[in-house]
Amino acid sequence: MPASSLEQIVSLAKRRGFVFPSSAVYGGLGSTWDYGPLGVELKNNVKRAWWRSVVYDRDDMEGLDAAILMNRLVWKYSGHEATFSDPMTDCRSCKARPRADHVFAAQKGRDPINVAEINAAIEAKELKCPKCGATDLTPARPFNLMFKTTVGPVDTGDDSGLAYLRPETAQGIFVNFGNILDTMRRKLPFGVAQIGKAFRNEITPGNFTFRTREFEQMEIEYFVKPGEDEAAHQSWIDARTQWYVDLGMRRENLRQREQTKDELAHYAKRCVDLEYRFPMGWSELEGIANRTDYDLKAHSRSPENPDAVGELRYFDQEQKKHIVPYVIEPSAGADRATLAFLCDAYDESLVKEPPAEETAKLRELVLSFAKSVDKRDPKQMETATKERLVAAAEKIAAALPGSLPELLGLADDADANRIEVWKKVRGAAEKLGEEHTRTVLRLNPKLSPITVAVFPLKKNEPRLVETARGIKRDLQRAGLRTVYDDTGAIGKLYRRQDEVGTPFCITVDFQSLDDQTVTVRDRDTMGQERVGITDLGAALRAKV
Ligand code: ATP
């Protein structure tokens, strides 16, 4: 059963060392996350798979790693200083500051055409504050999403040291166009790929790592002759879609959405969003845009840009003249892709029906939790939170034991944990879950944080331990991410590795000492086969 809520993914991610809330020892910092020991491996594997596919497996691509801090003029001429903003409105009654375009879309059932239309609706008192319901909203004002910082030892108080943390990696590629052309002797079409951090002071971050203020992008700028842009664009849309599918993402959870004319940036000819069916609904995974010659022209010396030192253009040998290439931009998020692969791989099922009386006891506990939530004073808990918890608890209670995985997903919910009886619900659910459910991350082995786990059948048998440790060392040297574990019984160790998506587990038993073979257990089929120790590296590499 796939995850029915993002909470299940958040809970697993925290419990098993994929992603932790940042700065938790000081109460955290809203919507910032740290990748733990397994999360960093998963995200690195996603980034490596991307780099392999878009740089190494092609002949028309180069890589780049540009600085995060850039000359402020980059952001002036890219248009970000003037336009990279979200419209905000203030509620005069309760002081909430929601995004005006979101308020409009939620209440009118469609996106606004422009800020003027939002403001007309505010003026006509057609929009309500989503928090308190008042219609006393201020006209929408732009809020720039770029983080400012100061370069140099002192803050001089003026703008002379002002710099921005880049809000996208793309501009680093555009301003290096000439360098790459000159040094790599490239002919059109060719592209440049880059992975790196980007920062946006998002007004409404959330949905776990889906939207954060600090994130990593995986971006490509592909330069083509004007006229060849449409075919190149389509081929990138197809290639990027196939990349997700080849790494195991289910095709039915992936769709291409053509941006409408109203949504398109003014310079873009066409843009297709790849969307993934996250537990919270279809949402953007990657945008693939035809940006025409806008960016290279914007950073070229011209009457509009007297600050640029030269022109970003290409000498076309056939036409014997300079041209400005068109740009196709497949722009993906490393964190979003990682989250999508996690969601897609998540599979939790009830493997054994618990005894009826235990299910009944748990149901009663869940319902008494719902009652306690309902009785909470609105001053102590917001009505929306109460309604969310009561609805979730009632739905889960009605569907137990099948809804046990969903209940476990709620275990770490901060609001639920404010209710005393939740501790009991949680304890009972975890006990039942431990005995009756199986969680498996069915990650493609290329993405799994750990490829092989090696266990000795008995940890107090030195010959078994020594052999298992030797296998770990050899497989790791052969390039397979391998761990050794002897901290539990074999069944428990299998369960733990299933939960983090390890495709292969190796058990060293007494027979291994006689015939130099071990058991290799497959995560997905749960089938076991005996393989010679010396053949392990080749056999496992063939499967990965
Ligand atoms: P959205 O509409 O979701 O805010 P966007 O259209 O602003 O995204 P782009 O500017 O096209 O996003 O950025 C390209 C990619 O970078 C996105 O498809 C997404 O994968 C990633 N990305 C953008 N903003 C964030 C963020 N705040 N947190 C995590 N990833 C992000």
Side-chain angles (χ1 to χ4, degrees):
M1 195 166 61
S4 55
S5 71
L6 202 55
E7 278 77 22
Q8 283 167 271
I9 305 295
V10 180
S11 165
L12 174 80
K14 193 169 150 197
R15 196 169 69 242
R16 298 309 318 274
F18 283 88
V19 180
F20 307 121
S22 165
S23 333
V25 295
Y26 290 109
L29 172 67
S31 296
T32 48
W33 303 93
D34 297 338
Y35 286 83
L38 297 189
V40 65
E41 298 292 344
L42 174 60
K43 189 159 102 162
N44 279 344
N45 288 344
V46 169
K47 290 189 283 184
R48 260 197 291 268
W50 182 86
W51 193 267
R52 219 173 13 240
S53 148
V54 307
V55 182
Y56 298 157
D57 288 351
R58 302 179 61 112
D59 299 319
D60 53 356
M61 293 287 295
E62 302 286 353
L64 178 75
D65 183 14
I68 288 175
L69 296 176
M70 302 172 86
N71 189 314
R72 181 187 164 189
L73 293 172
V74 170
W75 307 108
K76 174 177 173 181
Y77 290 106
S78 69
H80 284 78
E81 268 193 344
T83 61
F84 193 59
S85 57
D86 283 338
M88 308 296 297
T89 174
D90 288 290
C91 171
R92 292 194 184 92
S93 177
C94 76
K95 309 293 175 221
R97 177 178 286 179
R99 261 183 71 170
D101 53 336
H102 286 177
V103 174
F104 186 101
Q107 295 175 21
K108 295 266 188 189
R110 65 173 175 85
D111 289 329
I113 295 165
N114 51 30
V115 174
E117 190 186 23
I118 301 175
N119 284 342
I122 288 176
E123 176 97 26
K125 305 245 177 256
E126 289 166 10
L127 299 184
K128 284 190 272 183
C129 167
K131 194 158 173 219
C132 74
T135 52
D136 200 6
L137 299 173
T138 63
R141 278 174 303 136
F143 177 84
N144 197 291
L145 301 180
M146 285 197 290
F147 278 101
K148 288 179 178 170
T149 188
T150 307
V151 173
V154 281
D155 187 348
T156 50
D158 58 20
D159 273 355
S160 58
L162 174 64
Y164 299 104
L165 300 186
R166 67 178 176 201
E168 61 173 36
T169 59
Q171 298 301 323
I173 301 181
F174 295 131
V175 299
N176 273 293
F177 173 77
N179 293 334
I180 292 170
L181 196 61
D182 291 348
T183 53
M184 306 315 288
R185 301 183 310 274
R186 280 288 179 184
K187 294 226 172 333
L188 291 182
F190 75 93
V192 181
Q194 174 166 227
I195 298 177
K197 289 263 179 170
F199 303 82
R200 297 182 187 177
N201 201 359
E202 300 276 8
I203 318 293
T204 45
N207 283 325
F208 195 32
T209 53
F210 178 82
R211 190 184 308 283
T212 51
R213 296 195 172 102
E214 173 183 343
F215 54 96
E216 255 180 303
Q217 288 189 311
M218 307 188 291
E219 292 198 297
I220 296 164
E221 304 303 334
Y222 192 75
F223 303 100
V224 294
K225 286 186 187 172
E228 294 174 7
D229 52 311
E230 290 179 13
H233 190 192
Q234 189 54 48
S235 103
W236 272 109
I237 296 167
D238 298 340
R240 292 299 307 138
T241 307
Q242 195 57 38
W243 180 77
Y244 291 99
V245 174
D246 288 345
L247 284 171
M249 199 171 275
R250 271 167 282 192
R251 195 63 185 79
E252 68 268 23
N253 289 339
L254 200 57
R255 73 177 183 194
Q256 298 174 348
R257 192 182 68 84
E258 194 82 32
Q259 280 198 5
T260 62
K261 281 220 161 56
D262 290 341
E263 284 176 276
L264 274 185
H266 65 89
Y267 47 76
K269 195 163 158 187
R270 182 186 175 207
C271 182
V272 170
D273 285 347
L274 296 187
E275 295 188 332
Y276 177 72
R277 198 201 318 237
F278 286 95
M280 69 277 187
W282 287 101
S283 310
E284 178 182 328
L285 198 53
E286 167 163 354
I288 306 166
N290 180 343
R291 300 176 61 98
T292 67
D293 54 8
Y294 175 80
D295 306 278
L296 293 181
K297 276 190 173 156
H299 292 302
S300 292
R301 196 170 174 89
S302 69
E304 291 77 41
N305 184 347
D307 293 312
V309 294
E311 285 180 59
L312 298 175
R313 54 187 191 168
Y314 172 86
F315 187 75
D316 185 7
Q317 295 290 356
E318 282 163 25
Q319 299 182 58
K320 300 277 181 263
K321 64 171 192 182
H322 282 103
I323 58 169
V324 181
Y326 268 34
V327 173
I328 307 302
E329 180 188 78
S331 170
D335 309 88
R336 268 193 207 174
T338 302
L339 180 60
F341 282 120
L342 262 181
C343 293
D344 213 70
Y346 187 91
D347 181 12
E348 182 151 19
S349 54
L350 205 63
V351 284
K352 201 163 69 172
E353 189 88 356
E357 63 272 25
E358 286 193 42
T359 305
K361 238 191 262 169
L362 183 61
R363 186 176 299 120
E364 243 169 70
L365 275 173
V366 175
L367 289 173
S368 76
F369 163 77
K371 267 192 208 140
S372 309
V373 173
D374 205 33
K375 274 197 253 151
R376 272 268 158 141
D377 190 312
K379 280 197 204 107
Q380 292 174 305
M381 188 175 265
E382 273 187 5
T383 311
T385 308
K386 282 172 60 173
E387 284 171 1
R388 174 178 73 85
L389 290 178
V390 170
E394 284 175 350
K395 187 171 149 238
I396 287 168
L400 280 172
S403 55
L404 191 55
E406 225 172 304
L407 180 58
L408 291 166
L410 265 184
D412 287 323
D413 187 282
D415 295 314
N417 276 290
R418 287 159 59 195
I419 307 287
E420 189 58 29
V421 66
W422 184 250
K423 286 196 196 86
K424 275 197 195 155
V425 177
R426 196 181 155 152
E430 280 173 354
K431 185 165 171 288
L432 223 56
E434 176 90 351
E435 290 159 16
H436 302 277
T437 64
R438 174 173 184 244
T439 305
V440 187
L441 276 189
R442 300 196 187 278
L443 287 167
N444 181 301
K446 288 196 182 79
L447 298 183
S448 294
I450 299 167
T451 313
V452 192
V454 192
F455 319 132
L457 187 65
K458 282 191 168 10
K459 70 172 174 187
N460 48 12
E461 182 59 57
R463 287 180 308 156
L464 296 184
V465 170
E466 203 180 297
T467 308
R469 285 198 184 276
I471 292 173
K472 189 252 136 161
R473 245 188 337 263
D474 290 346
L475 291 181
Q476 185 63 60
R477 279 194 195 128
L480 296 164
R481 177 73 190 119
T482 310
V483 298
Y484 167 89
D485 195 358
D486 63 8
T487 57
I490 298 295
K492 193 161 192 170
L493 296 180
Y494 282 156
R495 280 173 63 99
R496 276 196 215 147
Q497 295 298 333
D498 286 346
E499 227 184 353
V500 301
T502 306
F504 308 108
C505 290
I506 291 175
T507 304
V508 178
D509 54 21
F510 290 102
Q511 187 187 332
S512 310
L513 302 177
D514 290 336
D515 66 3
Q516 296 295 302
T517 66
V518 289
T519 309
V520 177
R521 184 252 197 192
D522 182 292
R523 173 195 73 196
D524 295 327
T525 62
M526 294 202 274
Q528 307 196 0
E529 55 173 335
R530 288 207 77 93
V531 178
I533 292 176
T534 48
D535 302 329
L536 276 172
L540 293 174
R541 247 204 320 272
K543 294 187 193 212
V544 180

